[in-house]
Amino acid sequence: MPPDGSTKTPRTGRRPGESSTRESILEAARRQFAERGYVGATMRSIAKEAGVDAALVVHFFGTKANLLSEAVEWPFDPDVEMPKLLAGGKRHVGERIVALVVRTWDQEGARDPILTLVRAATIEPKAAEMLGDFLRKRLFAPLMERLDSDQPELRTTLAASQLVGLGLARHVLRVEPLASAKPAAVVDWYAPTLQRYLAGKLG
Amino acid sequence: MPPDGSTKTPRTGRRPGESSTRESILEAARRQFAERGYVGATMRSIAKEAGVDAALVVHFFGTKANLLSEAVEWPFDPDVEMPKLLAGGKRHVGERIVALVVRTWDQEGARDPILTLVRAATIEPKAAEMLGDFLRKRLFAPLMERLDSDQPELRTTLAASQLVGLGLARHVLRVEPLASAKPAAVVDWYAPTLQRYLAGKLG
């Protein structure tokens, strides 16, 4: 899942045509995970849509959890967004991270893979691990390092628990008035929480 | 789902034996929803475990979403807990509600039905509506009324988004150090957030 959305460089030794078959499977997987969810999409149904044998999907990707991890394209690139989160100074990091998350979740195309992952994470430990790894390693670890706050792992967890809860409430449970609120209002409501979790006094 | 866990009073006109059949189906449903999740448990598999025909399950409960709503037993009684949430005064409501939620989620038997519901809510709109209705009507509406805060519906949503996110992070995604933290520490970390959402300045 390279951030620019390019296809992966095939490993050496791969036969010609292999990488395009692989890519067809990934495309079918992305569509099916988004439409049917992690449980509804099966290795067999994905193979069928890609026009290949199910055994080939297993050969390339092993397990469904691994196929999910290869298929998900993160909707933003942490290396690009990270400097922006801190561009306003430490005092504005809470506001900035809520704005980033609301902007990302509010775009339907960007929201689908995250929703697929969050849904999968509630039932499949490997998907939960994968979601946790991305959030920790790619997003929060570099952020916490630059913020230089104490208890970085705890802060990561607290922040993630609120951001995932916000996404669920706004886009899955769709509770009002949150579901229809303007992004700027959502940022106002949640920014103080994230500011405290990331850089404030924890209690 | 009567708070004391008693079986329901059968409607008049029901044949003898009907209520015990109904109860067997509900017991099988509770077990299967907890073990297999909302997607994995089917009307057919629940009927089989209860030793009845699947058509009878449909006759009694209509849809799987409705069966879920009848089977879930809320792990605490809002009418009992509500006065306790306010017993320390308005300034302590954030701390008290986090303590209640942590205590409830920390008991495995009480956690299962909530997890089933939260998981079901991420894929099934009717389950989401049901979860939202319980939280809003039975828990937050009476609480907000007594607190007399402005924007009660918005505050309900904000609080629920954090409490659901906390439950997911601690018990489903099981991220550390939150997953193994002592209840009192969890209360310290989250109480200021809930206090602001329920009774503070929103932004």
Side-chain angles (χ1 to χ4, degrees):
Chain A
M1 45 200 136
D4 59 0
S6 65
T7 55
K8 291 184 180 182
T9 312
R11 276 184 239 124
T12 49
R14 224 173 245 172
R15 288 188 303 277
E18 192 167 302
S19 79
S20 75
T21 303
R22 215 172 167 281
E23 195 44 48
S24 307
I25 297 169
L26 287 172
E27 273 170 29
R30 264 174 224 126
R31 209 160 29 232
Q32 292 209 3
F33 283 135
E35 279 168 18
R36 307 182 184 188
Y38 184 74
V39 174
T42 65
M43 298 292 257
R44 188 175 297 274
S45 67
I46 291 165
K48 195 175 172 194
E49 182 172 333
V52 303
D53 195 87
L56 193 66
V57 179
V58 175
H59 171 72
F60 279 155
F61 298 99
T63 61
K64 187 159 87 169
N66 190 56
L67 177 55
L68 176 70
S69 90
E70 301 260 347
V72 166
E73 287 174 322
W74 296 102
F76 60 85
D77 180 1
D79 299 333
V80 171
E81 297 298 335
M82 193 61 52
K84 295 187 198 164
L85 290 180
L86 290 162
K90 195 170 170 169
R91 286 191 312 127
H92 293 280
V93 68
E95 177 192 317
R96 296 267 173 125
I97 200 168
V98 179
L100 169 64
V101 167
V102 170
R103 198 166 62 238
T104 305
W105 283 84
D106 276 5
Q107 296 158 351
E108 206 169 330
R111 181 164 71 233
D112 284 345
I114 316 186
L115 286 183
T116 301
L117 251 190
V118 171
R119 287 185 174 121
T122 69
I123 47 171
E124 162 67 46
K126 276 188 189 158
E129 207 177 298
M130 202 182 116
L131 178 64
D133 270 5
F134 172 79
L135 291 176
R136 257 192 312 273
K137 292 182 191 162
R138 301 227 40 215
L139 184 61
F140 285 107
L143 178 62
M144 294 316 300
E145 199 172 308
R146 292 178 204 207
L147 277 177
D148 197 28
S149 300
D150 64 332
Q151 300 180 273
E153 288 174 8
L154 172 60
R155 291 176 185 279
T156 293
T157 311
L158 299 176
S161 78
Q162 177 60 93
L163 295 175
V164 168
L166 158 59
L168 278 179
R170 184 163 160 94
H171 297 292
V172 181
L173 309 180
R174 293 210 183 89
V175 275
E176 296 294 357
L178 183 64
S180 309
K182 294 204 173 123
V186 179
V187 171
D188 282 349
W189 300 328
Y190 286 99
T193 300
L194 272 295
Q195 185 62 34
R196 177 172 156 264
Y197 289 165
L198 293 174
K201 196 174 162 293
L202 287 184
Chain B
M1 42 202 138
D4 61 358
S6 65
T7 54
K8 292 184 180 185
T9 311
R11 275 183 240 125
T12 49
R14 224 173 244 172
R15 288 188 302 277
E18 191 168 303
S19 80
S20 75
T21 304
R22 214 172 169 279
E23 195 45 47
S24 308
I25 297 170
L26 286 172
E27 273 170 31
R30 265 173 223 125
R31 210 160 29 234
Q32 292 209 4
F33 283 135
E35 278 167 21
R36 308 182 182 186
Y38 183 74
V39 174
T42 64
M43 298 291 259
R44 187 175 299 272
S45 67
I46 290 165
K48 196 176 171 192
E49 183 172 333
V52 301
D53 195 86
L56 194 66
V57 180
V58 175
H59 171 72
F60 279 156
F61 298 99
T63 62
K64 187 158 84 168
N66 190 57
L67 176 56
L68 175 71
S69 89
E70 302 260 349
V72 165
E73 286 174 323
W74 296 101
F76 59 84
D77 179 1
D79 299 333
V80 171
E81 297 298 335
M82 192 63 49
K84 296 188 197 163
L85 290 180
L86 290 163
K90 194 168 170 170
R91 286 190 316 125
H92 292 279
V93 67
E95 179 192 319
R96 296 267 172 123
I97 200 168
V98 179
L100 168 65
V101 167
V102 169
R103 198 164 64 236
T104 306
W105 282 84
D106 276 6
Q107 296 159 352
E108 207 168 328
R111 181 164 72 234
D112 284 347
I114 316 187
L115 286 183
T116 301
L117 250 191
V118 171
R119 287 185 174 119
T122 70
I123 47 172
E124 163 65 48
K126 276 186 190 159
E129 203 180 305
M130 202 181 117
L131 178 63
D133 270 5
F134 172 79
L135 292 175
R136 255 193 311 273
K137 292 181 192 160
R138 299 227 39 214
L139 184 61
F140 284 106
L143 178 62
M144 294 315 302
E145 199 171 309
R146 292 178 204 208
L147 277 176
D148 197 28
S149 299
D150 64 331
Q151 300 180 275
E153 288 175 8
L154 171 61
R155 291 177 185 278
T156 293
T157 312
L158 300 175
S161 79
Q162 177 60 93
L163 295 174
V164 168
L166 158 58
L168 277 178
R170 183 162 161 95
H171 298 291
V172 181
L173 309 179
R174 293 210 183 88
V175 276
E176 295 294 356
L178 183 64
S180 309
K182 294 205 173 118
V186 179
V187 171
D188 282 349
W189 301 328
Y190 286 99
T193 300
L194 272 295
Q195 185 63 35
R196 178 172 154 264
Y197 290 165
L198 293 175
K201 196 175 160 295
L202 287 185

